[in-house]
């Protein structure tokens, strides 16, 4: 890889002398050369020894062109030349040699006064820390991540509220239109009515339109029973939500009948997606299993 050479550029700012570096003043290292394409810009930092932590701090990195990059930096070491024989930049995986870099900061403090007593030592000058406030740019990926997290939280809360409202409205509708029949009695009544009127349950070949009709009616009867018996919006909710609600509020019913309910619901879904291949025996099997399941759930409730 070709060598990278960097030069110091000091942007002009109102109130500051042109070309003069002071503590906390941002400037640029404009570096020319071949940079690795795999370099991860959002993870870049300068490779410094512990004693050099105030000498140079990377604020941002941006490409001007494929072979030229701007490193916005700042230094807090005043009054002495800062020199790097080979400044290095790393993203944690790749390390890039930036070559020799040197500069000197001008102190904005007045020169130290000689001690009043000739034998007295002057106070030790410690390196300056950050003088601010400084504008520390936040990479866009962090804002995007924060927005996604907040969006997920908002969606979770909205979903919880929506399901709670659905449940409350279901209970209100059941109170307004409550049937004189119990949920199990209504299921059996609807099943007998379907068996008397739908040709699937007669001997011989059924009418073509009666096969999908019997499927929809049986599925509706099962969901209506669950709605009335357990106060679950089963007619609106997905099978996953129905099972989750049963597990939470009716653990005994879920433990003994959850597997069969899940299997039966999946078979109903497959049948709906492929109604053209449904047969009379398929409907008879589904209706029998739905009846036995409802009777088991009623026994456990």
């Amino acid at each position: 890889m070709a060598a990278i050479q960097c030069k110091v550029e000091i942007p002009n700012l109102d109130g500051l002398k042109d070309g003069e570096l002071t503590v906390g003043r941002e400037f640029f290292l404009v570096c020319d050369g071949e940079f690795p394409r795999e370099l991860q810009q959002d993870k870049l930092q300068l490779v410094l020894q512990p004693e050099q932590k105030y000498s140079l701090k990377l604020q941002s990195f941006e490409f001007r062109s494929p072979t030229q990059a701007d490193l916005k930096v700042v230094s807090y070491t005043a009054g002495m030349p800062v020199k790097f024989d080979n400044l290095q930049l790393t993203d944690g995986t790749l390390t890039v040699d930036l070559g020799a870099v040197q500069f000197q900061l001008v102190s904005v403090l007045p020169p130290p006064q000689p001690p009043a007593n000739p034998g007295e030592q002057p106070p030790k000058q410690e390196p300056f820390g950050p003088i601010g406030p400084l504008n520390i740019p936040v990479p866009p990926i962090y804002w995007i991540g924060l927005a996604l997290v907040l969006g997920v939280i908002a969606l979770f809360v909205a979903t919880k509220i929506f399901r709670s409202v659905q449940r409350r409205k279901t209970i209100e509708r059941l109170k307004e239109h409550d049937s004189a029949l119990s949920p199990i009695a209504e299921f059996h009544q609807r099943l007998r009515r379907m068996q008397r009127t739908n040709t699937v349950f007669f001997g011989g070949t059924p009418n073509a339109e009666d096969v999908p009709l019997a499927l929809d009616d049986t599925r509706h009867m099962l969901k209506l029973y669950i709605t009335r018996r357990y106060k679950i919006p089963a007619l609106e909710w997905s099978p996953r939500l129905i099972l989750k609600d049963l597990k939470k509020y009716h653990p005994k019913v879920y433990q003994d009948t959850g597997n069969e309910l899940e299997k039966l619901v999946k078979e109903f879904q497959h049948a709906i997606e492929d109604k053209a291949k449904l047969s009379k025996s398929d409907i008879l099997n589904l209706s029998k299993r739905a009846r036995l399941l409802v009777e088991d759930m009623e026994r456990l409730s």
Side-chain angles (χ1 to χ4, degrees):
M1 180 170 56
I4 298 176
Q5 299 294 326
C6 300
K7 62 180 181 179
V8 174
E9 284 192 3
I10 305 172
N12 296 333
L13 294 175
D14 292 340
L16 298 177
K17 291 183 179 180
D18 294 348
E20 182 178 88
L21 276 180
T22 53
V23 173
R25 180 173 182 176
E26 293 178 340
F27 61 101
F28 290 96
L29 297 180
V30 181
C31 300
D32 289 291
E34 184 178 347
F35 286 85
R37 294 186 177 181
E38 302 84 2
L39 202 62
Q40 302 180 66
Q41 297 183 44
D42 58 327
K43 297 181 179 180
L44 289 175
Q45 58 183 353
L46 296 173
V47 179
L48 301 173
Q49 299 300 319
E51 64 272 13
Q52 298 173 317
K53 64 179 181 179
Y54 296 114
S55 299
L56 201 61
K57 180 177 177 60
L58 180 65
Q59 300 286 75
S60 65
F61 179 95
E62 183 178 356
F63 278 109
R64 289 190 185 182
S65 70
T67 59
Q68 188 177 75
D70 285 348
L71 283 71
K72 182 188 289 187
V73 293
V74 66
S75 178
Y76 304 105
T77 304
M80 63 182 68
V82 177
K83 182 177 180 180
F84 296 92
D85 294 329
N86 182 27
L87 184 64
Q88 291 183 316
L89 184 71
T90 183
D91 62 4
T93 302
L94 298 175
T95 299
V96 180
D97 294 332
L98 302 180
V101 172
Q102 70 177 49
F103 55 87
Q104 182 169 355
L105 271 67
V106 177
S107 176
V108 295
L109 298 178
Q113 298 297 321
N117 300 319
E120 183 181 349
Q121 295 293 327
K124 183 178 179 181
Q125 180 67 48
E126 296 291 341
F128 290 101
I131 296 179
L134 295 175
N135 181 22
I136 303 177
V138 179
I141 190 171
Y142 292 119
W143 292 116
I144 295 173
L146 177 61
L148 289 175
V149 170
L150 293 177
V152 169
I153 294 174
L155 180 61
F156 177 79
V157 173
T159 301
K160 286 288 187 181
I161 294 174
F162 178 71
R163 290 175 187 168
S164 176
V165 171
Q166 272 190 320
R167 178 187 291 278
R168 186 173 67 252
K169 288 184 177 179
T170 297
I171 295 174
E172 291 173 355
R173 287 199 303 268
L174 291 175
K175 289 180 180 178
E176 293 174 1
H177 306 287
D178 197 16
S179 170
L181 297 174
S182 66
I184 186 66
E186 183 179 14
F187 177 86
H188 282 144
Q189 182 189 70
R190 287 173 175 267
L191 180 61
R192 288 194 298 269
R193 185 182 301 141
M194 181 177 65
Q195 291 171 337
R196 291 195 302 267
T197 58
N198 193 297
T199 59
V200 170
F201 299 90
F202 301 169
T205 304
N207 297 334
E209 64 273 12
D210 280 349
V211 175
L213 179 62
L215 173 69
D216 293 338
D217 287 346
T218 305
R219 181 169 175 264
H220 180 79
M221 283 188 287
L222 175 61
K223 286 198 167 189
L224 182 61
Y225 169 80
I226 294 174
T227 298
R228 292 194 60 203
R229 189 69 183 82
Y230 303 108
K231 306 298 187 292
I232 297 174
L235 295 171
E236 294 90 2
W237 281 9
S238 67
R240 183 183 63 82
L241 292 178
I242 295 171
L243 289 166
K244 183 178 179 181
D245 198 272
L246 279 175
K247 184 177 182 180
K248 181 177 182 180
Y249 296 105
H250 307 278
K252 177 62 176 174
V253 175
Y254 176 83
Q255 182 179 353
D256 287 12
T257 65
N259 288 338
E260 175 61 16
L261 176 59
E262 185 174 7
K263 292 177 183 177
L264 188 58
V265 167
K266 287 182 179 179
E267 292 191 26
F268 271 117
Q269 188 61 37
H270 292 155
I272 290 172
E273 293 171 355
D274 200 4
K275 288 184 177 181
K277 294 183 180 180
L278 280 178
S279 65
K280 175 180 177 178
S281 61
D282 293 332
I283 300 301
L284 293 176
N285 177 58
L286 287 172
S287 64
K288 179 181 179 180
R289 288 176 61 188
R291 176 179 63 80
L292 293 175
L293 175 63
V294 166
E295 291 171 353
D296 283 345
M297 296 176 77
E298 184 69 22
R299 174 177 54 83
L300 295 166
S301 300

